[in-house]
Amino acid sequence: MMQLLIPIVRADLAIDEVYVYTNEAPLECPITVIGGLQYPETSPDIIEGWNKHTIAFCSLQMFPYHHFFLKRYQLLLLQATFQKLQQNQ
């Protein structure tokens, strides 16, 4: 189990150590923000902060999963992404 989890934890820590936010002009394209309902660090209130990063429409899509839903539910995420792209054509 440790061999499975260590690379994931290292990747999360590496991103946290090197990321520096820079305030820039908002994007002119729509943003779809995706989060997991069972992951407290991605509450709708926190995720809605993405609104300030676009002058276009910003939508929020929450999935009933936790932190690792991106990998575990890849097909569901891809289907949702495809639907959003179809709507924006």
Side-chain angles (χ1 to χ4, degrees):
M1 185 69 143
M2 290 298 287
Q3 289 177 341
L4 179 67
L5 292 176
I6 286 176
I8 296 168
V9 172
R10 282 189 180 147
D12 281 352
L13 292 174
I15 290 171
D16 188 51
E17 288 177 5
V18 298
Y19 176 77
V20 176
Y21 173 77
T22 55
N23 193 17
E24 296 185 17
L27 299 170
E28 296 179 12
C29 62
I31 295 175
T32 299
V33 183
I34 298 171
L37 288 169
Q38 296 170 343
Y39 190 59
E41 284 79 6
T42 59
S43 71
D45 291 339
I46 292 170
I47 291 176
E48 285 177 6
W50 281 91
N51 284 328
K52 68 180 181 181
H53 295 288
T54 184
I55 59 173
F57 184 72
C58 183
S59 63
L60 171 63
Q61 185 162 3
M62 298 294 284
F63 289 91
Y65 312 117
H66 52 76
H67 180 71
F68 299 108
F69 78 89
L70 292 175
K71 187 168 184 171
R72 185 169 182 187
Y73 299 97
Q74 186 176 25
L75 181 60
L76 183 60
L77 179 61
L78 289 173
Q79 288 172 337
T81 302
F82 180 74
Q83 288 174 350
K84 282 290 182 184
L85 290 172
Q86 291 294 323
Q87 291 172 1
N88 290 327
Q89 287 187 354

